Amino acid sequence: MMLSIADVLTPEQVRECRQAFEQASWQDGRLTAGYQAAKAKANQQLAQDDPLVVQIGDFIVQRLGNHPQFVSAALPLKVLPPRFNRYTGGGTYGNHIDNAIFSVPGTPHRVRSDLSATLFFSDPDEYEGGELVVEDSYGSHSVKLPAGHLVLYPGSSLHRVNPVTRGTRYAAFFWIQSLVRDDTQRGLLLELDRAVQALTLEVPESAELARLTGVYHNLLRQWANT
């Protein structure tokens, strides 16, 4: 399942983050990559212990927790603190698959990367190239969203960021361990939840809504891993 989620951040929130990013100290992104990934990676990142990373990362996680579409789609159990990257001057990241398990910095906790997420801080007309390209069994999907919008996709997907040939692409990226590990099951729950919400608006007095809601929760009870 691949899903775009609009308006995670407001335009004003994006502007404030961008102002901070433009004054920040960026480092070679290969410093956080493993041996194989470092050969494909040519971007810049903020250090994970940078106070700006903690400040904006915590704010993003708070926003996500209050975003109904994100919660419904991801069913988050754990969210790895967001990281931030910058692509400019031909910066790119070749085909790769993300690590299956990530350690939470400064803690003994680990997060399984059921879902990968990219939150855009640059509008598409601010840079050329820089598309996030995700490969799955249905083909190749190119993503370039407005600032403040987020894309979710399976952490098991092969993906890349095309070279940025003009301008600068700022983004946050992070991983989610879902209550429901299987992507197909998670997608079915999302469709069922959407149907229940639509019917609640159309026929709010229907007695069948309680049955459908019960089916949703019983499936979640059966499939959830906690």
Side-chain angles (χ1 to χ4, degrees):
M1 177 184 67
M2 189 170 184
L3 182 69
S4 297
I5 300 177
D7 302 322
V8 171
L9 299 180
T10 66
E12 179 59 30
Q13 289 165 345
V14 170
R15 281 193 294 271
E16 291 177 1
C17 292
R18 281 287 299 272
Q19 290 173 359
F21 290 154
E22 288 163 5
Q23 302 298 319
S25 298
W26 295 85
Q27 62 182 21
D28 191 333
R30 290 174 293 184
L31 294 175
T32 62
Y35 174 75
Q36 290 295 331
K39 294 188 290 185
K41 193 174 186 180
N43 66 4
Q44 296 173 310
Q45 286 184 210
L46 294 178
Q48 292 184 41
D49 59 356
D50 189 316
L52 186 62
V53 170
V54 177
Q55 178 186 353
I56 299 180
D58 287 349
F59 177 69
I60 290 171
V61 172
Q62 180 184 19
R63 291 283 298 182
L64 292 172
N66 294 318
H67 198 294
Q69 190 177 7
F70 172 81
V71 173
S72 179
L75 295 170
L77 176 62
K78 301 177 185 177
V79 178
L80 193 74
R83 306 176 185 187
F84 301 88
N85 57 25
R86 179 173 76 171
Y87 290 82
T88 191
T92 185
Y93 198 165
N95 279 332
H96 64 286
I97 294 176
D98 295 328
N99 292 347
I101 305 293
F102 288 89
S103 296
V104 180
T107 78
H109 303 300
R110 296 183 178 183
V111 174
R112 187 182 64 236
S113 58
D114 297 325
L115 288 160
S116 296
T118 297
L119 174 61
F120 291 82
F121 285 92
S122 301
D123 282 315
D125 61 359
E126 293 186 81
Y127 60 99
E128 291 181 2
E131 299 86 0
L132 172 66
V133 181
V134 180
E135 309 278 354
D136 63 19
S137 57
Y138 297 100
S140 179
H141 310 275
S142 180
V143 183
K144 192 172 182 179
L145 299 180
H149 293 215
L150 177 144
V151 62
L152 276 176
Y153 58 97
S156 56
S157 302
L158 183 71
H159 59 283
R160 67 181 181 273
V161 176
N162 285 340
V164 172
T165 57
R166 177 188 64 82
T168 302
R169 175 194 190 270
Y170 292 100
F173 62 103
F174 53 97
W175 296 271
I176 301 104
Q177 181 171 331
S178 178
L179 286 164
V180 177
R181 182 173 186 169
D182 184 84
D183 185 61
T184 300
Q185 293 172 343
R186 205 165 48 245
L188 289 171
L189 286 168
L190 176 60
E191 289 304 309
L192 182 55
D193 187 41
R194 285 172 166 172
V196 169
Q197 297 303 320
L199 289 172
T200 300
L201 294 175
E202 294 175 12
V203 285
E205 303 304 321
S206 174
E208 299 307 312
L209 280 171
R211 289 180 180 272
L212 285 175
T213 302
V215 169
Y216 175 89
H217 286 287
N218 285 332
L219 287 174
L220 180 58
R221 185 176 291 110
Q222 180 176 340
W223 292 340
N225 297 288
T226 59

